[in-house]
């Protein structure tokens, strides 16, 4: 894989950019930046249905939005130390307009005199109770011998598929799949498939794909037992990431798996087919994702994939 030139995706930066796009598409005021250092901030952790996330909001900004009448009655500015107690006393101190940030509990609430300066910009979201900086987003919901055949069979058409790997996706996450999402390849296979059977494995070289034959073995399905009462929306989908597909015949195939190379087109990494339970659902670009691989979605097939 080191010989294939891939665009590198920094996981956290990509997650922040994707969150920002989702919030803006929904019509919310949002952006990336760094908090000002002019006033105190309320730092907290939030627990919700999408997992735990962390953020902060300006103490005075929150008070002016959450309790505007109280601030108007005060002759002097309310000290930040009192604001944090008010923040802790209110049942729902934050009103968040996006589902992924909805919470049922705030914990680790504390007052900090100045916002920490992050290495990267943080996403922020304007809410009815002031601007909220999200410092940590919720975690995303993770042939040993040559083929021989009679001469009359060697011309039969076959389809060879090069499978990069597989992962699993919940049904409800499939419905939210959109352009720009990155799907992590959790289980690398690098298999050469013929009629659903593994006939070998492949490696990347500067010249193309090098195939190595193995004993024929059925493609593993990695199935898991599902409780009888499981919600249909939570049933996992098996995702497959297809690097290339090539029509060939037995004669040519026999030469390929004996060590010859398969040349890749220059844009092969931008045409990874994503299949859910065997059906094409998206097209994406193969990217370097920290120490592993991922596929950034370029196109989602809402109906039938293009021919």
């Amino acid at each position: 894989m080191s010989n294939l030139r891939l665009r590198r995706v920094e996981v956290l930066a990509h997650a922040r950019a994707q969150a920002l796009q989702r919030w803006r598409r929904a019509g919310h005021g949002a952006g990336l930046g760094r908090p000002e250092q002019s006033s105190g901030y309320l730092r907290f952790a939030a627990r919700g249905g999408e997992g735990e996330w962390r953020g902060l909001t300006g103490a005075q900004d929150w008070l002016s939005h959450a309790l505007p009448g109280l601030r108007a009655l005060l002759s002097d500015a309310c000290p930040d130390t009192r604001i944090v107690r008010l923040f802790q006393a209110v049942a729902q101190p934050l009103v968040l307009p996006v589902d992924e940030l909805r919470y049922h509990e705030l914990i680790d609430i504390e007052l900090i005199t100045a916002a920490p300066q992050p290495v990267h910009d943080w996403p922020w979201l304007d809410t009815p109770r002031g601007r909220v900086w999200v410092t940590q987003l919720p975690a995303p919901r993770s042939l040993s011998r040559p083929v021989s055949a009679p001469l009359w069979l060697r011309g039969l058409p076959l389809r060879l598929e090069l499978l990069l790997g597989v992962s699993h996706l919940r049904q409800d996450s499939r419905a939210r799949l959109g352009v720009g999402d990155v799907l992590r390849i959790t289980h690398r296979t690098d298999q050469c498939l013929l009629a659903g059977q593994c006939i070998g494995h492949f490696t990347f070289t500067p010249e193309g794909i090098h195939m190595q034959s193995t004993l024929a073995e059925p493609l593993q399905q990695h199935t898991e037992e599902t409780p009888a009462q499981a919600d249909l929306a939570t049933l996992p989908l098996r995702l497959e990431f297809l690097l290339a597909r090539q029509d060939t015949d037995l004669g040519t195939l026999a030469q390929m798996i004996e060590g010859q190379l398969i040349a890749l087109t220059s844009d092969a990494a931008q045409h990874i087919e994503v299949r859910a339970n065997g059906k094409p659902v998206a097209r994406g670009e193969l990217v370097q994702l920290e120490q592993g691989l991922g596929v950034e979605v370029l196109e989602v097939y809402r109906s039938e994939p293009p021919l």
Side-chain angles (χ1 to χ4, degrees), residues 133-213:
W133 300 83
V134 181
T135 60
Q136 178 183 315
L137 288 163
R141 291 279 180 214
S142 189
L143 302 162
S144 62
R145 59 180 180 274
V147 174
S148 60
L151 290 177
W152 68 273
L153 285 177
R154 288 179 174 265
L156 291 179
L158 298 170
R159 174 157 291 184
L160 177 69
E161 296 182 335
L162 304 181
L163 186 67
L164 284 163
V166 300
S167 61
H168 291 86
L169 186 72
R170 285 163 42 121
Q171 296 267 10
D172 51 356
S173 298
R174 159 72 177 93
R176 297 198 300 267
L177 184 65
V179 173
D181 290 344
V182 172
L183 302 171
R184 186 184 294 274
I185 302 175
T186 57
H187 179 69
R188 287 284 302 282
T189 59
D190 294 344
Q191 290 177 313
C192 308
L193 302 180
L194 190 66
Q197 300 292 312
C198 176
I199 62 170
H201 293 83
F202 64 87
T203 56
F204 291 91
T205 71
E207 293 79 18
I209 296 294
H210 182 270
M211 294 180 59
Q212 178 66 44
S213 63

Side-chain angles (χ1 to χ4, degrees), residues 7-45:
R7 182 168 55 86
R8 182 173 294 275
V9 173
E10 201 279 306
V11 176
L12 294 180
H14 181 270
R16 290 188 289 265
Q18 288 295 102
L20 179 60
Q21 290 184 22
R22 289 194 299 272
W23 301 345
R24 285 177 169 172
R25 282 198 300 266
H28 305 302
L32 286 173
R34 306 185 183 195
E36 297 179 358
Q37 298 294 299
S38 56
S39 60
Y41 285 85
L42 304 171
R43 183 162 57 189
F44 57 87

Side-chain angles (χ1 to χ4, degrees), residues 107-123:
I107 59 173
D108 300 338
I109 300 171
E110 61 178 336
L111 174 68
I112 55 176
T113 56
Q117 288 302 294
V119 177
H120 303 286
D121 290 345
W122 284 331

